[in-house]
Amino acid sequence: MSIWMLLLAGTIVLGGAIVQGSVGFGMNLIAAPLLAIADPVLVPVPLLITGSAFAVLPLLRERGQADWRGVRWGLFGRVPGAIIGVAALALLPSRWLAVLIATVVLISVGLSLLTWHPTPVPGTLFTAGMFSGVFGTAAAVGGPPIALVYQHNAGPTVRSTLSAYFALGSLLSLGVLLLSGQVQGQQLLAAAVLFPFALLGFLISGPLRHLLDRGRTRPALLLVAAFSAVVLLFKALA
């Protein structure tokens, strides 16, 4: 990759990191479709590595706020979901897989605005974790299912819980991809280049999270989820 392409990719990750550090998720949602256009080698492995390392930072910043019981149930569901995600990569055309993922996310956001009021109970979390595993492994977009379950919780709980889930869940997806032979040296190097941009985004997000905690966390969460789905859908159909 040229230096200009690396700077472009880093800027994309920077923007996504600012969003995730403020809302609780969104780096992969924003960065994955754009990085796939810039250079397909950046998705999903380098972005999963960068996202997993990044997720540790908000967890440390708001330690003590995470719902570890919810994280556990979400991870139980993510394991079979990751396996299904690998199978989907092998069996389905990437274009229609992206359309399917985007459609599911948009439907979930629409239901949240109308009648669906999910609560973080074991059954819901397991199901959301399974969908998150499929989406995250197949397209590095595993945030919306778990994030939507926590949409009615306080900002610190949302950010720290999602961070714990993403850190561990991304490692699970990476393990499955490694076993399937889809992790290569150039992808590890790309992740090393992208992470400093993610770190800068985390530092910028500090003051922004306090603005969202004034009753704006849920609207921001739904907006990020819907926006990411629209971008993914546009990329697939363009």
Side-chain angles (χ1 to χ4, degrees):
M1 295 179 66
S2 68
I3 184 64
W4 297 111
M5 187 60 71
L6 287 173
L7 288 174
L8 174 61
T11 302
I12 293 171
V13 170
L14 170 65
I18 293 173
V19 173
Q20 180 158 326
S22 307
V23 180
F25 80 117
M27 182 165 72
N28 286 8
L29 294 173
I30 292 172
L34 298 177
L35 289 181
I37 296 173
D39 192 331
V41 77
L42 296 173
V43 181
V45 174
L47 190 55
L48 280 172
I49 295 173
T50 303
S52 181
F54 175 87
V56 176
L57 301 176
L59 180 61
L60 294 175
R61 183 169 61 186
E62 296 182 293
R63 54 188 175 276
Q65 299 293 326
D67 175 20
W68 287 103
R69 175 174 171 271
V71 172
R72 183 171 66 251
W73 279 104
L75 289 175
F76 285 161
R78 179 143 187 155
V79 174
I83 296 172
I84 296 172
V86 170
L89 279 173
L91 298 175
L92 298 178
S94 58
R95 178 181 183 181
W96 296 113
L97 182 60
V99 169
L100 176 62
I101 291 173
T103 302
V104 171
V105 172
L106 287 174
I107 291 174
S108 299
V109 171
L111 290 175
S112 296
L113 292 172
L114 297 175
T115 59
W116 186 44
H117 298 284
T119 55
V121 296
T124 304
L125 286 164
F126 181 89
T127 302
M130 186 168 66
F131 277 101
S132 177
V134 175
F135 296 176
T137 304
V141 182
I146 292 292
L148 290 173
V149 171
Y150 280 96
Q151 63 182 276
H152 295 288
N153 289 77
T157 299
V158 172
R159 287 188 294 268
S160 57
T161 301
L162 293 181
S163 294
Y165 173 79
F166 292 147
L168 298 172
S170 294
L171 288 177
L172 283 174
S173 291
L174 284 169
V176 174
L177 289 169
L178 180 63
L179 291 174
S180 64
Q182 299 190 47
V183 178
Q184 302 173 0
Q186 62 177 342
Q187 296 168 322
L188 300 178
L189 180 60
V193 172
L194 293 177
F195 183 73
F197 291 92
L199 179 59
L200 178 59
F202 170 75
L203 297 176
I204 296 173
S205 72
L208 297 177
R209 62 195 171 105
H210 298 300
L211 295 175
L212 294 178
D213 286 346
R214 300 171 186 171
R216 301 185 182 96
T217 299
R218 181 172 181 264
L221 187 153
L222 295 175
L223 179 62
V224 171
F227 174 78
S228 66
V230 170
V231 172
L232 187 62
L233 189 62
F234 177 79
K235 173 183 173 293
L237 298 178

